[in-house]
Amino acid sequence: MNDLTAQLRAFAEDRDWQQFHTPKNLAMALAGEVGELLAELQWLTPEQAAAVMDDPEAGARVRAEVGDVMIYLTRLADVLGIDLEAAAVTKLAEVAVRYPVQQVKGSATKR
């Protein structure tokens, strides 16, 4: 993660784009890219969505959109000073407490 963060920071700095990389702008760009990822899967059946990477063209589009999402999320975390990996680990620990295995296994009910 540190290497990717450094590469993205340098990419923005080299182009003098950090002035545009405000938290609001990055969050909006992230939401847009998530929307583009959703558009790739929107009308697929669950089975088609699970197999989307088997299709070279569709898989390439999905891979590109996932890449865009990762780039904007990583850049947003960097600008806000968030350790992305630590944030995810902390969140996972919180969710594990909220959803104990013995109480929720096999259920999608939200608590």
Side-chain angles (χ1 to χ4, degrees), residues 21-103:
H21 286 189
T22 65
K24 176 195 70 77
N25 288 351
L26 290 166
M28 290 175 65
L30 175 60
E33 293 301 337
V34 169
E36 291 180 21
L37 175 58
L38 287 170
E40 291 297 330
L41 303 170
Q42 183 172 11
W43 301 113
L44 302 181
T45 65
E47 296 77 20
Q48 290 170 326
V52 72
M53 298 309 292
D54 295 339
D55 178 309
E57 289 180 22
R61 291 192 307 270
V62 168
R63 186 177 297 105
E65 296 307 335
V66 167
D68 286 339
V69 168
M70 183 70 172
I71 286 169
Y72 280 114
L73 180 59
T74 302
R75 189 73 183 115
L76 176 61
D78 184 38
V79 167
L80 290 174
I82 296 170
D83 179 324
L84 195 53
E85 188 174 359
V89 169
T90 299
K91 183 62 178 185
L92 183 58
E94 292 170 1
V95 173
V97 169
R98 189 170 168 195
Y99 295 96
V101 173
Q102 62 276 19
Q103 293 179 14

